[in-house]
Amino acid sequence: MQPGAAQARLRVTTMSSLWTRAKNSYSTKCCSSGLYPRSNVMIYVTIAGVVALPGFWWLHTRNDAPHIESAPAEHWSFEPGPSRDQVTRIISQGAYSFLVRNVAGVSRYDGAQLASNSPCEDQFTHGKLPSPWKGGKKWMAWAVFDGHSGLQTSELLKNQLLPFVQQRLSQLKPTSKGTVPEELVQRAIIEGFTKLDDSIIKAALDISQSEESLQEKVKKLAPAYSGSCALLSIYDSTTGTLHVACTGDSRAVLGQKRPDGGWEVMPLSVDQTGKNIEEVARLYKEHPDEKDIVKNGRVLGIAVSRAFGDGQWKWPVEFQKDVQRRFYGPPPLVPTYNIQTPPYLTAEPVVKSTKIDTRSPSFLIMATDGLWDMLSSQQAVDLVAKWLESKAAGTRNSKPEPVYEPFDFGQFWKGISWKFVEGRTTVQDSNVAVHLVRNSLGGNHHELIAGRLAFSSPSSRRLRDDTTVQVVFFNFPDLEK
C-alpha cells in the first residue's frame, strides 16, 4: 500500500470514529434559550478538528487541566465602590480636547462619554472636513447619536450620516462669492438624513427577498431593528454659520456672552418627543383617524417622535410579522397597539442655522438626553460659565467640599433631588465636558456620584443613561493656547 493511501485510510477511519463519538454525545435537551441543542458545540468542535487534524490533536494533548484556586469563604470580601480618584477616572475615560487651528472662529472643543449600557449605545463623531464646494475654506462638524434597543443604528450613523449629508451639499452650486443660501443648505442636510434612513428602512424589503445568505441579510437588517436619534452641527467657516440638525431628543444649546458679562441661552434644537405639543399635533395631522397614537408622552410606546431605524414604527404590519418570522426581528407592535397607517416616526430633522458673532465669545453644548435628564439648558450654560471663570482665575476647588450626612437612594423620595442641584456644583476638571458630566451626577456630593457609578449594566440604567457631551468654543483666543 502506498504511503498516501495509508494516510487517507487512517484519516477516513479517524473521521468515522470521531463522527460516531459526536453523534453518541448528542442530547435532545436544549439550552436555556430553548433554541439550540447544547451538544451542537461538540459536533462543531469535532468537525473543526477533522478539517484541521493537527489542531484537533493539539486540543487533546495539553499537559494537564488548569487548577482552580479559591480562598475559604471567610476570607472573601466585597470590592469597594469607586473612590474619588476612581470617579474621576471613570467619567474621564475616553474624554478628548482639541485646540483648533486654521478654522476661523473655532478655538477649541471638548468631549466626554459615560456609558450605562454595555456596550454603550451612544456614538459620536467630530473634526474638520473639506468645504463641499471647490476652493472653499475648511468646515467643521460635531455629532452625537443616541441609540436605543442596541447600538447598530447609532454605529451606522457615526460612519455614514456625515458622508450622506456631504454628498447632498456637494450637489449645490455656490454663488460667485462662494456661498449658498441657507435654505438650500438646510434642504440638502434634510435630504442627507432622509436618504440614509430610506436606505435602512425601505431597502429592508429588497434585502429580505434577495439571494444573499441568511447571515448577510440579518446583518443588513440590524440597523432597522434598533434605532437612534441624531444631532449634527456643521460649521461653515466662510460665512460663520452654524447649521444644527436634530432628529430625536438630543439637544443643542448656544451660550452667548451678553454686554453685561452674563451668558444668554439660545436653544438650537427642540426635543422631538411625545411630550412636544407641536410634534403631537403633527402626528395627528398625518394620521387624522387614529386617536391613540400618543399616550403618556409616548408615540405608540416609544418616547421620541423622530428617529432613524425603528422599523416597527415604519413598516407595514405584515412586513413586521414576516421579518420576525424569517429573521427573528423585533416583535410587531400589534396587537399591543393598533397600527393602521405607518410610518409613525420619521428621520427628517429640524434644521436651524445661526450666525456666530465674531465680536464676542460663545459656546455650543451638544449632548444626548443622558445629560438633559439631569440638567436644564440654563443650568448647563451656567456650569460652563463657572468653568470658564475658574479657568480664567486659575483656580479649581477653591471652596472646601461640604460635609454630607450618610446617603442612600431612599432620600430621593424625601426631598433630595436626583437631578442637578446648584449647591452641589464643583469645578475640578480641565475638560469642560467631563465637568458637565460630573455635576449632572452629583457634583461635590461624592457618595451620591460614587453610588451611581458603583452600578454596572444593566442595573445602572435605573440611575443614569448613556451620556455623550461635546462643547465647542467660538472666539475664545485664551483657550487656543
Side-chain angles (χ1 to χ4, degrees), residues 236-314:
D236 176 354
S237 63
T238 301
T239 63
T241 304
L242 182 69
H243 305 282
V244 177
C246 178
T247 292
D249 60 358
S250 296
R251 189 186 307 169
V253 60
L254 191 69
Q256 289 187 310
K257 196 162 190 177
R258 299 191 303 261
D260 64 1
W263 292 90
E264 178 186 356
V265 179
M266 178 183 289
L268 299 183
S269 68
V270 177
D271 299 354
Q272 299 157 357
T273 70
K275 296 179 181 179
N276 182 320
I277 296 175
E278 292 182 357
E279 285 292 284
V280 173
R282 175 182 63 82
L283 284 166
Y284 280 120
K285 184 178 180 180
E286 294 174 359
H287 308 274
D289 298 325
E290 299 178 65
K291 297 180 180 179
D292 298 323
I293 296 175
V294 182
K295 277 190 175 181
N296 301 318
R298 304 182 79 86
V299 181
L300 298 174
I302 193 170
V304 293
S305 55
R306 304 189 190 214
F308 283 83
D310 289 323
Q312 292 163 285
W313 287 266
K314 298 175 181 177

Side-chain angles (χ1 to χ4, degrees), residues 53 57 73 83 89 100 107 144 183 190 194 210 235 269 321:
L53 201 57
W57 287 114
S83 65
R89 284 197 292 271
V100 179
S107 303
V144 295
E183 58 271 18
I190 291 171
T194 55
S210 73
Y235 178 66
S269 68
K321 293 178 179 179

Side-chain angles (χ1 to χ4, degrees), residues 7 221 321 435 452:
Q7 291 175 1
L221 288 169
K321 293 178 179 179
H435 166 72
R452 278 177 158 145

Side-chain angles (χ1 to χ4, degrees), residues 62-82:
R62 305 295 292 270
N63 291 333
D64 197 3
H67 290 277
I68 299 175
E69 297 182 6
S70 60
E74 60 266 27
H75 293 159
W76 180 80
S77 62
F78 290 100
E79 181 181 346

